[in-house]
């Protein structure tokens, strides 16, 4: 399995981080429009698209004029409850312009831990995809609270997106981020940092490359992306971590071009 096989990927999960979908002014409409166009084009080619989008807490915070990412659980619940509907409203509008319907699925960890509810979600996703509707997934942040019950929270959408890729047997997960991929050291601190082209197994060395957190309005950073990679490397799916500056990059990834960091485990089952 190598990058050229990606042209055959049929079921594709696209994960967008808060910083990818928001700018200082709020939702980045140019980008959301481009994403909708890219997804609609891929659906016309027969692909199935699932989006995992962050941004509920970020959008809600901006809507409520908060200066910082909320730190208390209650404030996060409020921001996400307000932000999620705004976010979905915009997704629905942009996708509809290109003739595509979207459907919201909000997940909590316990849903996927119970075989019956997991199966219900899988059936819902399959049915949406069969009808060419794009499921847009987020963690149900108003409900999933770590302090109440550890089982309810995924914690970050990088990990969530990998779990979604696994449970839907997706061919490819693309994590669109504010970094170009995995570097061998922090590119903001080391101008000689080198972008890693491909990873086939998780090693201690790879983990060391990813220390440090993301920016103010995000929870992830590279560490959670590697958690996602770790999940993907137990499956037959592939993962590409790359820049979300222009969602059209997905077309190039599907042509097999050398973009971002490509994760695929050694040898297929
Ligand atoms: N679920 C959170 C939100 O929508 C984001 C979590 C993350 O950034 O990983 O705001």
């Amino acid at each position: 399995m190598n990058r050229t096989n990606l042209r055959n990927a049929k079921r594709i999960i696209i994960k967008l981080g808060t910083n990818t979908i928001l700018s200082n002014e709020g939702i980045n409409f140019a980008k959301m429009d481009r994403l909708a166009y890219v997804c609609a084009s891929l659906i016309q080619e027969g692909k199935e698209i699932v989006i995992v989008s962050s941004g509920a807490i970020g959008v809600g915070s901006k809507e409520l004029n908060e200066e910082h990412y909320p730190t208390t659980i209650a404030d996060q619940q409020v921001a996400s409850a307000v932000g999620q509907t705004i976010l979905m409203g915009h997704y629905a509008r942009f996708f509809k312009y290109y003739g595509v319907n979207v459907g919201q699925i909000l997940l909590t960890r316990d849903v996927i831990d119970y075989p019956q509810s997991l199966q219900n979600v899988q059936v819902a996703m399959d049915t949406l995809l069969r009808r060419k509707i794009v499921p847009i997934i987020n963690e149900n942040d108003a409900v999933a609270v770590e302090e109440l019950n550890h089982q309810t929270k995924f914690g970050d959408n990088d990990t969530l997106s990998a779990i979604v890729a696994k449970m839907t047997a997706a061919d490819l997960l693309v994590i669109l981020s504010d970094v170009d991929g995995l570097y061998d050291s922090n590119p903001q601190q080391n101008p000689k940092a080198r972008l890693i082209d491909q990873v086939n197994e998780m090693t201690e060395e790879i983990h060391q490359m990813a220390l440090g957190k993301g920016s103010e309005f995000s929870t992830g950073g590279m560490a959670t992306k590697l958690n996602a990679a770790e999940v993907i490397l137990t499956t037959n799916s592939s993962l590409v971590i790359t820049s979300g500056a222009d969602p059209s990059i997905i077309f190039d990834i599907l042509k097999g071009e050398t973009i971002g960091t490509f994760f695929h485990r050694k040898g297929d089952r």
Side-chain angles (χ1 to χ4, degrees), residues 107-110 139 143-146 149-154:
L107 291 176
T108 48
R109 179 129 221 157
D110 51 326
E139 176 146 31
V143 168
V145 175
E146 196 143 19
N149 179 349
H150 278 277
Q151 296 304 311
T152 64
K153 199 150 176 69
F154 294 102

Side-chain angles (χ1 to χ4, degrees), residues 9-10 25 35 55 57 72 88 98 103 132 134 146 236-238:
K10 176 163 166 100
E25 287 69 45
L35 175 74
I57 296 176
T72 68
M88 281 308 297
Y98 295 100
K132 299 185 192 302
V134 173
E146 196 143 19
N236 286 332
S237 308
S238 302

